[in-house]
Amino acid sequence: QVQLVESGGGLVQAGGSLRLSCAASGLPVVRYAMAWFRQAPGKEREFVAVISWIGSTSYADSVKGRFTISRDTAKNMVFLQMNSLNPEDTAVYYCAADSRWSRSRAEYYYWGQGTQVTVSS
């Protein structure tokens, strides 16, 4: 059984920080590409960040320099550190996994339920 469970979302003021967590079960994060996507109301789910098997990372231009994706292999978890948040970052954030390393939503097979991040102005 594969399960991805996000946590750490909440309400934060603009300029603040949040750290999202993704707890994975049924798959080892060291053997999968692990990614974060987000979806704002009325918009398509969009790529945020990805980390590959070997630890290579890629970020959307909108979050580059502010967000950092990382993993803890011992805990089989993936994290997204979000700094300098602004209201445009408000969205439901999803953890995703697949054997392929990609920035495309369609390439990912496993998804978490999402966690809400709301940034107030």
Side-chain angles (χ1 to χ4, degrees):
Q1 181 181 5
V2 173
Q3 187 175 27
L4 304 177
V5 180
E6 304 95 333
S7 62
L11 177 64
V12 64
Q13 294 181 354
S17 299
L18 283 174
R19 184 179 179 88
L20 304 183
S21 299
C22 174
S25 61
L27 65 85
V29 300
V30 296
R31 296 184 182 181
Y32 282 77
M34 304 296 300
W36 288 95
F37 288 77
R38 67 186 182 185
Q39 187 167 20
K43 300 186 68 176
E44 293 291 320
R45 195 169 300 183
E46 66 177 1
F47 169 79
V48 176
V50 61
I51 185 167
S52 73
W53 289 15
I54 63 174
S56 300
T57 58
S58 182
Y59 299 90
D61 289 342
S62 59
V63 306
K64 201 169 188 177
R66 299 188 297 122
F67 291 9
T68 303
I69 187 171
S70 62
R71 64 188 178 188
D72 185 331
T73 58
K75 296 182 178 180
N76 208 42
M77 297 183 69
V78 180
F79 306 96
L80 185 68
Q81 178 66 46
M82 306 185 294
N83 299 326
S84 301
L85 287 163
N86 59 67
E88 293 181 351
D89 297 315
T90 295
V92 177
Y93 283 71
Y94 297 89
C95 180
D98 209 291
S99 59
R100 290 175 55 86
W101 185 62
S102 177
R103 298 165 63 100
S104 175
R105 175 179 59 84
E107 299 290 342
Y108 290 86
Y109 186 79
Y110 300 106
W111 293 86
Q113 82 289 345
T115 185
Q116 177 71 48
V117 173
T118 302
V119 184
S120 62
S121 59

Short mmCIF file of all heavy atoms in Angstrom, two decimals, residues 52-98:
data_model
loop_
_atom_site.label_atom_id
_atom_site.label_comp_id
_atom_site.label_asym_id
_atom_site.label_seq_id
_atom_site.Cartn_x
_atom_site.Cartn_y
_atom_site.Cartn_z
N SER A 52 15.25 14.34 -7.25
CA SER A 52 15.44 13.07 -7.93
C SER A 52 16.06 12.04 -7.01
O SER A 52 16.35 12.30 -5.84
CB SER A 52 16.35 13.27 -9.15
OG SER A 52 17.69 13.49 -8.75
N TRP A 53 16.26 10.83 -7.56
CA TRP A 53 16.90 9.75 -6.81
C TRP A 53 18.24 10.18 -6.23
O TRP A 53 18.56 9.83 -5.09
CB TRP A 53 17.17 8.56 -7.74
CG TRP A 53 15.98 7.78 -8.17
CD1 TRP A 53 14.67 8.13 -8.10
CD2 TRP A 53 16.02 6.49 -8.77
NE1 TRP A 53 13.87 7.15 -8.61
CE2 TRP A 53 14.68 6.12 -9.03
CE3 TRP A 53 17.04 5.60 -9.11
CZ2 TRP A 53 14.34 4.91 -9.62
CZ3 TRP A 53 16.71 4.38 -9.70
CH2 TRP A 53 15.37 4.05 -9.95
N ILE A 54 19.03 10.90 -7.03
CA ILE A 54 20.38 11.27 -6.62
C ILE A 54 20.41 12.59 -5.88
O ILE A 54 21.49 13.07 -5.51
CB ILE A 54 21.33 11.32 -7.82
CG1 ILE A 54 20.90 12.39 -8.83
CG2 ILE A 54 21.42 9.95 -8.48
CD1 ILE A 54 21.89 12.58 -9.96
N GLY A 55 19.26 13.20 -5.66
CA GLY A 55 19.20 14.43 -4.90
C GLY A 55 19.22 15.70 -5.72
O GLY A 55 19.27 16.79 -5.13
N SER A 56 19.19 15.58 -7.03
CA SER A 56 19.11 16.78 -7.87
C SER A 56 17.75 17.43 -7.69
O SER A 56 16.74 16.75 -7.51
CB SER A 56 19.32 16.42 -9.34
OG SER A 56 20.59 15.84 -9.54
N THR A 57 17.72 18.75 -7.74
CA THR A 57 16.48 19.48 -7.52
C THR A 57 16.18 20.43 -8.67
O THR A 57 17.08 20.87 -9.39
CB THR A 57 16.54 20.29 -6.21
OG1 THR A 57 17.64 21.20 -6.26
CG2 THR A 57 16.71 19.36 -5.02
N SER A 58 14.91 20.73 -8.82
CA SER A 58 14.46 21.69 -9.80
C SER A 58 13.26 22.44 -9.21
O SER A 58 12.46 21.85 -8.49
CB SER A 58 14.07 20.99 -11.10
OG SER A 58 13.67 21.93 -12.09
N TYR A 59 13.16 23.72 -9.54
CA TYR A 59 12.12 24.56 -8.97
C TYR A 59 11.42 25.37 -10.04
O TYR A 59 12.01 25.74 -11.06
CB TYR A 59 12.70 25.54 -7.95
CG TYR A 59 13.37 24.89 -6.77
CD1 TYR A 59 14.72 24.57 -6.81
CD2 TYR A 59 12.65 24.59 -5.63
CE1 TYR A 59 15.34 23.97 -5.72
CE2 TYR A 59 13.26 23.99 -4.54
CZ TYR A 59 14.60 23.68 -4.59
OH TYR A 59 15.21 23.09 -3.51
N ALA A 60 10.16 25.65 -9.78
CA ALA A 60 9.45 26.60 -10.62
C ALA A 60 10.06 27.99 -10.44
O ALA A 60 10.53 28.34 -9.35
CB ALA A 60 7.97 26.64 -10.26
N ASP A 61 10.07 28.77 -11.51
CA ASP A 61 10.66 30.10 -11.44
C ASP A 61 10.01 30.96 -10.36
O ASP A 61 10.67 31.79 -9.73
CB ASP A 61 10.54 30.81 -12.79
CG ASP A 61 11.45 30.21 -13.84
OD1 ASP A 61 12.41 29.50 -13.47
OD2 ASP A 61 11.20 30.46 -15.03
N SER A 62 8.73 30.75 -10.11
CA SER A 62 8.00 31.57 -9.16
C SER A 62 8.44 31.35 -7.72
O SER A 62 8.18 32.20 -6.86
CB SER A 62 6.50 31.31 -9.29
OG SER A 62 6.20 29.94 -9.06
N VAL A 63 9.09 30.22 -7.44
CA VAL A 63 9.49 29.92 -6.07
C VAL A 63 10.99 29.80 -5.91
O VAL A 63 11.47 29.67 -4.77
CB VAL A 63 8.82 28.63 -5.56
CG1 VAL A 63 7.31 28.71 -5.73
CG2 VAL A 63 9.38 27.40 -6.26
N LYS A 64 11.73 29.85 -6.99
CA LYS A 64 13.17 29.68 -6.94
C LYS A 64 13.81 30.74 -6.06
O LYS A 64 13.54 31.93 -6.19
CB LYS A 64 13.75 29.74 -8.35
CG LYS A 64 15.11 29.10 -8.49
CD LYS A 64 15.48 28.96 -9.96
CE LYS A 64 16.75 28.14 -10.13
NZ LYS A 64 17.07 27.95 -11.57
N GLY A 65 14.66 30.29 -5.16
CA GLY A 65 15.30 31.19 -4.22
C GLY A 65 14.53 31.38 -2.94
O GLY A 65 15.09 31.91 -1.97
N ARG A 66 13.27 30.98 -2.91
CA ARG A 66 12.45 31.10 -1.71
C ARG A 66 12.11 29.75 -1.09
O ARG A 66 12.00 29.65 0.13
CB ARG A 66 11.16 31.85 -2.02
CG ARG A 66 11.36 33.26 -2.54
CD ARG A 66 10.03 34.00 -2.64
NE ARG A 66 9.12 33.37 -3.60
CZ ARG A 66 7.90 32.92 -3.30
NH1 ARG A 66 7.44 33.02 -2.06
NH2 ARG A 66 7.13 32.37 -4.24
N PHE A 67 11.90 28.75 -1.94
CA PHE A 67 11.51 27.42 -1.47
C PHE A 67 12.68 26.46 -1.62
O PHE A 67 13.50 26.58 -2.54
CB PHE A 67 10.34 26.87 -2.30
CG PHE A 67 9.03 27.57 -2.09
CD1 PHE A 67 8.93 28.75 -1.38
CD2 PHE A 67 7.88 27.03 -2.64
CE1 PHE A 67 7.72 29.39 -1.20
CE2 PHE A 67 6.66 27.66 -2.46
CZ PHE A 67 6.57 28.84 -1.75
N THR A 68 12.73 25.47 -0.73
CA THR A 68 13.75 24.44 -0.79
C THR A 68 13.12 23.08 -0.54
O THR A 68 12.45 22.88 0.47
CB THR A 68 14.86 24.68 0.25
OG1 THR A 68 15.45 25.96 0.05
CG2 THR A 68 15.95 23.61 0.12
N ILE A 69 13.34 22.15 -1.46
CA ILE A 69 12.87 20.79 -1.28
C ILE A 69 14.02 19.94 -0.74
O ILE A 69 15.18 20.11 -1.14
CB ILE A 69 12.32 20.19 -2.59
CG1 ILE A 69 11.67 18.83 -2.35
CG2 ILE A 69 13.41 20.09 -3.66
CD1 ILE A 69 10.90 18.28 -3.55
N SER A 70 13.70 19.05 0.18
CA SER A 70 14.71 18.19 0.77
C SER A 70 14.06 16.88 1.19
O SER A 70 12.84 16.74 1.14
CB SER A 70 15.39 18.86 1.97
OG SER A 70 14.45 19.13 3.00
N ARG A 71 14.89 15.92 1.59
CA ARG A 71 14.37 14.63 2.02
C ARG A 71 15.16 14.11 3.20
O ARG A 71 16.33 14.45 3.40
CB ARG A 71 14.43 13.62 0.87
CG ARG A 71 15.84 13.29 0.41
CD ARG A 71 15.85 12.44 -0.84
NE ARG A 71 17.20 12.18 -1.29
CZ ARG A 71 17.52 11.60 -2.43
NH1 ARG A 71 16.55 11.20 -3.26
NH2 ARG A 71 18.79 11.41 -2.76
N ASP A 72 14.50 13.30 4.00
CA ASP A 72 15.11 12.60 5.11
C ASP A 72 14.90 11.12 4.83
O ASP A 72 13.80 10.60 5.05
CB ASP A 72 14.47 13.01 6.43
CG ASP A 72 15.16 12.38 7.63
OD1 ASP A 72 15.72 11.28 7.52
OD2 ASP A 72 15.13 13.01 8.72
N THR A 73 15.92 10.46 4.33
CA THR A 73 15.77 9.06 3.92
C THR A 73 15.51 8.14 5.10
O THR A 73 14.80 7.14 4.96
CB THR A 73 17.01 8.59 3.15
OG1 THR A 73 18.18 8.75 3.97
CG2 THR A 73 17.19 9.39 1.87
N ALA A 74 16.07 8.45 6.26
CA ALA A 74 15.85 7.63 7.44
C ALA A 74 14.39 7.63 7.86
O ALA A 74 13.86 6.61 8.30
CB ALA A 74 16.73 8.10 8.59
N LYS A 75 13.74 8.77 7.73
CA LYS A 75 12.33 8.88 8.08
C LYS A 75 11.41 8.67 6.89
O LYS A 75 10.19 8.66 7.05
CB LYS A 75 12.05 10.25 8.70
CG LYS A 75 12.76 10.48 10.02
CD LYS A 75 12.40 11.85 10.59
CE LYS A 75 13.07 12.06 11.93
NZ LYS A 75 12.73 13.39 12.50
N ASN A 76 12.00 8.52 5.71
CA ASN A 76 11.25 8.35 4.47
C ASN A 76 10.26 9.51 4.27
O ASN A 76 9.08 9.31 3.98
CB ASN A 76 10.50 7.01 4.45
CG ASN A 76 10.29 6.48 3.04
OD1 ASN A 76 11.19 6.55 2.20
ND2 ASN A 76 9.11 5.94 2.77
N MET A 77 10.78 10.70 4.41
CA MET A 77 9.96 11.90 4.30
C MET A 77 10.59 12.91 3.35
O MET A 77 11.81 12.91 3.13
CB MET A 77 9.77 12.55 5.68
CG MET A 77 9.03 11.70 6.68
SD MET A 77 8.75 12.54 8.26
CE MET A 77 7.55 13.78 7.76
N VAL A 78 9.75 13.75 2.81
CA VAL A 78 10.16 14.85 1.94
C VAL A 78 9.61 16.13 2.52
O VAL A 78 8.50 16.15 3.07
CB VAL A 78 9.66 14.64 0.50
CG1 VAL A 78 10.09 15.80 -0.39
CG2 VAL A 78 10.19 13.34 -0.06
N PHE A 79 10.36 17.21 2.39
CA PHE A 79 9.98 18.48 2.98
C PHE A 79 10.00 19.59 1.94
O PHE A 79 10.69 19.51 0.92
CB PHE A 79 10.92 18.86 4.12
CG PHE A 79 11.04 17.80 5.17
CD1 PHE A 79 12.09 16.90 5.14
CD2 PHE A 79 10.11 17.69 6.18
CE1 PHE A 79 12.22 15.91 6.09
CE2 PHE A 79 10.22 16.71 7.15
CZ PHE A 79 11.27 15.82 7.10
N LEU A 80 9.25 20.62 2.21
CA LEU A 80 9.29 21.83 1.41
C LEU A 80 9.37 23.01 2.36
O LEU A 80 8.38 23.34 3.03
CB LEU A 80 8.07 21.95 0.50
CG LEU A 80 8.09 23.15 -0.45
CD1 LEU A 80 9.17 22.96 -1.51
CD2 LEU A 80 6.73 23.34 -1.12
N GLN A 81 10.54 23.61 2.44
CA GLN A 81 10.72 24.81 3.25
C GLN A 81 10.34 26.01 2.41
O GLN A 81 10.91 26.24 1.34
CB GLN A 81 12.17 24.92 3.72
CG GLN A 81 12.47 26.18 4.53
CD GLN A 81 11.74 26.20 5.85
OE1 GLN A 81 11.74 25.20 6.57
NE2 GLN A 81 11.12 27.33 6.17
N MET A 82 9.39 26.78 2.88
CA MET A 82 8.87 27.92 2.15
C MET A 82 9.16 29.19 2.93
O MET A 82 8.66 29.36 4.05
CB MET A 82 7.37 27.79 1.89
CG MET A 82 6.98 26.48 1.21
SD MET A 82 5.21 26.41 0.79
CE MET A 82 4.52 26.39 2.45
N ASN A 83 9.95 30.07 2.35
CA ASN A 83 10.31 31.34 2.96
C ASN A 83 9.78 32.49 2.12
O ASN A 83 9.45 32.33 0.96
CB ASN A 83 11.83 31.46 3.11
CG ASN A 83 12.43 30.40 3.99
OD1 ASN A 83 11.81 29.95 4.96
ND2 ASN A 83 13.65 29.98 3.67
N SER A 84 9.73 33.66 2.74
CA SER A 84 9.28 34.87 2.05
C SER A 84 7.96 34.66 1.33
O SER A 84 7.79 35.02 0.17
CB SER A 84 10.36 35.36 1.08
OG SER A 84 11.57 35.62 1.75
N LEU A 85 7.02 34.09 2.03
CA LEU A 85 5.73 33.77 1.42
C LEU A 85 4.95 35.03 1.09
O LEU A 85 5.02 36.03 1.80
CB LEU A 85 4.92 32.89 2.36
CG LEU A 85 5.41 31.44 2.46
CD1 LEU A 85 4.83 30.77 3.70
CD2 LEU A 85 5.02 30.67 1.21
N ASN A 86 4.19 34.96 0.01
CA ASN A 86 3.32 36.05 -0.39
C ASN A 86 1.94 35.48 -0.72
O ASN A 86 1.79 34.27 -0.86
CB ASN A 86 3.91 36.83 -1.57
CG ASN A 86 4.15 35.98 -2.79
OD1 ASN A 86 3.20 35.51 -3.41
ND2 ASN A 86 5.41 35.78 -3.15
N PRO A 87 0.92 36.32 -0.84
CA PRO A 87 -0.43 35.81 -1.09
C PRO A 87 -0.55 34.95 -2.35
O PRO A 87 -1.44 34.10 -2.42
CB PRO A 87 -1.26 37.09 -1.21
CG PRO A 87 -0.55 38.06 -0.33
CD PRO A 87 0.90 37.77 -0.54
N GLU A 88 0.31 35.15 -3.34
CA GLU A 88 0.29 34.33 -4.55
C GLU A 88 0.66 32.88 -4.28
O GLU A 88 0.41 32.01 -5.12
CB GLU A 88 1.22 34.91 -5.62
CG GLU A 88 0.77 36.25 -6.17
CD GLU A 88 1.70 36.78 -7.23
OE1 GLU A 88 2.78 36.19 -7.43
OE2 GLU A 88 1.34 37.78 -7.88
N ASP A 89 1.26 32.61 -3.14
CA ASP A 89 1.61 31.25 -2.77
C ASP A 89 0.43 30.50 -2.14
O ASP A 89 0.56 29.31 -1.85
CB ASP A 89 2.78 31.24 -1.79
CG ASP A 89 4.05 31.81 -2.40
OD1 ASP A 89 4.36 31.46 -3.55
OD2 ASP A 89 4.72 32.62 -1.72
N THR A 90 -0.67 31.17 -1.91
CA THR A 90 -1.85 30.53 -1.33
C THR A 90 -2.37 29.45 -2.27
O THR A 90 -2.67 29.71 -3.43
CB THR A 90 -2.95 31.56 -1.05
OG1 THR A 90 -2.50 32.48 -0.05
CG2 THR A 90 -4.22 30.87 -0.56
N ALA A 91 -2.47 28.23 -1.77
CA ALA A 91 -2.91 27.10 -2.58
C ALA A 91 -2.96 25.86 -1.71
O ALA A 91 -2.50 25.86 -0.57
CB ALA A 91 -1.94 26.86 -3.75
N VAL A 92 -3.54 24.80 -2.26
CA VAL A 92 -3.40 23.48 -1.67
C VAL A 92 -2.12 22.88 -2.22
O VAL A 92 -1.93 22.82 -3.44
CB VAL A 92 -4.61 22.58 -1.99
CG1 VAL A 92 -4.39 21.18 -1.42
CG2 VAL A 92 -5.88 23.19 -1.42
N TYR A 93 -1.26 22.43 -1.35
CA TYR A 93 0.02 21.86 -1.75
C TYR A 93 -0.04 20.35 -1.67
O TYR A 93 -0.48 19.78 -0.67
CB TYR A 93 1.14 22.40 -0.86
CG TYR A 93 1.54 23.80 -1.21
CD1 TYR A 93 0.70 24.87 -0.94
CD2 TYR A 93 2.76 24.06 -1.85
CE1 TYR A 93 1.05 26.16 -1.29
CE2 TYR A 93 3.11 25.35 -2.19
CZ TYR A 93 2.26 26.40 -1.91
OH TYR A 93 2.62 27.68 -2.25
N TYR A 94 0.42 19.69 -2.74
CA TYR A 94 0.36 18.25 -2.86
C TYR A 94 1.75 17.65 -2.99
O TYR A 94 2.60 18.18 -3.70
CB TYR A 94 -0.44 17.84 -4.10
CG TYR A 94 -1.89 18.26 -4.08
CD1 TYR A 94 -2.28 19.49 -4.59
CD2 TYR A 94 -2.87 17.42 -3.57
CE1 TYR A 94 -3.61 19.88 -4.58
CE2 TYR A 94 -4.20 17.80 -3.56
CZ TYR A 94 -4.56 19.03 -4.08
OH TYR A 94 -5.87 19.40 -4.07
N CYS A 95 1.94 16.53 -2.33
CA CYS A 95 3.13 15.72 -2.49
C CYS A 95 2.85 14.67 -3.56
O CYS A 95 1.76 14.10 -3.60
CB CYS A 95 3.49 15.06 -1.17
SG CYS A 95 4.95 14.01 -1.20
N ALA A 96 3.83 14.40 -4.43
CA ALA A 96 3.66 13.44 -5.50
C ALA A 96 4.93 12.61 -5.67
O ALA A 96 6.02 13.05 -5.34
CB ALA A 96 3.32 14.14 -6.81
N ALA A 97 4.76 11.40 -6.21
CA ALA A 97 5.89 10.50 -6.41
C ALA A 97 5.72 9.68 -7.68
O ALA A 97 4.60 9.33 -8.06
CB ALA A 97 6.05 9.55 -5.22
N ASP A 98 6.83 9.40 -8.34
CA ASP A 98 6.84 8.51 -9.49
C ASP A 98 8.28 8.09 -9.76
O ASP A 98 9.21 8.64 -9.18
CB ASP A 98 6.23 9.18 -10.72
CG ASP A 98 5.59 8.18 -11.67
OD1 ASP A 98 6.33 7.38 -12.29
OD2 ASP A 98 4.35 8.17 -11.77
#
